Amino acid sequence: ATERSLRLTRELIGLILRATNDVIWEWDLAQNRLRTGQELEISIDLGDAGGACVIARLGPHDVCPEDVGRAEASLRHAIDGDAPEWRYEYRQQDSYGTPRVVVNRAEILRDESGQALRVVGGISDISQLRELDAQLQRALRLEAVGQLTGGVAHDFNNLLTILLGSA
């Protein structure tokens, strides 16, 4: 029964991982091993490097160099502190060299004393969301400018009407 339950759990996890577009990852802090990829089949022994290269190794694309250090420092700060979760946005380049914005979210699993044991996370591409937000902001600015110019034109027309009436 235990083997059957374990097999069903593994199948369920495999289905969930295949159903998502996110990059799923797990970092076993005790063994200093990073597992990532579809169904977590890629396992990287981080050796003595520790967290210094975790962010750079996550996902199929290159993290922008200026973002790597800040993201790694943020993750290390969350692990060393008492945070139950971590979230960070940074830029990556896809396989065509196009910059993408991603959000990396993780849960930090701790023992009874608060020592971090494992970090499990996922990376989502939010580039399209950021682009839509920028388009909305531009549209709102254009609408505000249109209302302002319409109001000014109306007031100017009222002044001209008074001047024409007086003339």
Side-chain angles (χ1 to χ4, degrees):
T2 303
E3 286 179 12
R4 182 176 185 275
S5 176
L6 180 61
R7 183 179 51 79
L8 290 174
T9 301
R10 284 186 178 166
E11 287 176 6
L12 177 62
I13 291 171
L15 290 171
I16 291 169
L17 290 172
R18 282 191 295 277
T20 183
N21 291 328
D22 294 352
V23 173
I24 306 297
W25 58 276
E26 174 206 25
W27 182 16
D28 183 338
L29 297 167
Q31 296 182 10
N32 204 20
R33 292 185 64 81
L34 178 68
R35 295 182 347 153
T36 184
Q38 203 68 4
E39 297 189 47
L40 299 175
E41 77 272 3
I42 301 167
S43 185
I44 302 166
D45 185 355
L46 297 172
D48 295 329
C53 62
V54 169
I55 297 296
R57 293 187 184 201
L58 290 176
H61 306 301
D62 294 331
V63 178
C64 292
E66 54 273 7
D67 291 351
V68 172
R70 289 189 298 263
E72 288 173 353
S74 173
L75 177 57
R76 177 53 66 184
H77 183 267
I79 290 170
D80 291 343
D82 60 354
E85 57 190 27
W86 171 76
R87 182 181 193 279
Y88 201 83
E89 286 184 25
Y90 52 89
R91 296 167 295 158
Q92 286 184 327
Q93 289 185 353
D94 66 16
S95 53
Y96 299 107
T98 306
R100 312 295 296 168
V101 179
V102 298
V103 62
N104 196 336
R105 290 181 290 260
E107 295 290 323
I108 302 170
L109 306 171
R110 300 179 182 278
D111 64 12
E112 300 81 30
S113 68
Q115 179 70 30
L117 302 173
R118 185 178 307 271
V119 184
V120 179
I123 303 171
S124 303
D125 185 342
I126 58 170
S127 301
Q128 199 170 29
L129 180 65
R130 291 290 178 250
E131 181 58 35
L132 289 172
D133 187 47
Q135 288 176 2
L136 176 62
Q137 294 303 319
R138 285 191 295 269
L140 289 173
R141 279 194 303 268
L142 282 173
E143 181 182 356
V145 168
Q147 288 178 353
L148 180 64
T149 56
V152 169
H154 181 73
D155 290 345
F156 188 68
N157 190 32
N158 288 342
L159 288 174
L160 284 177
T161 303
I162 293 169
L163 290 174
L164 286 174
S166 296

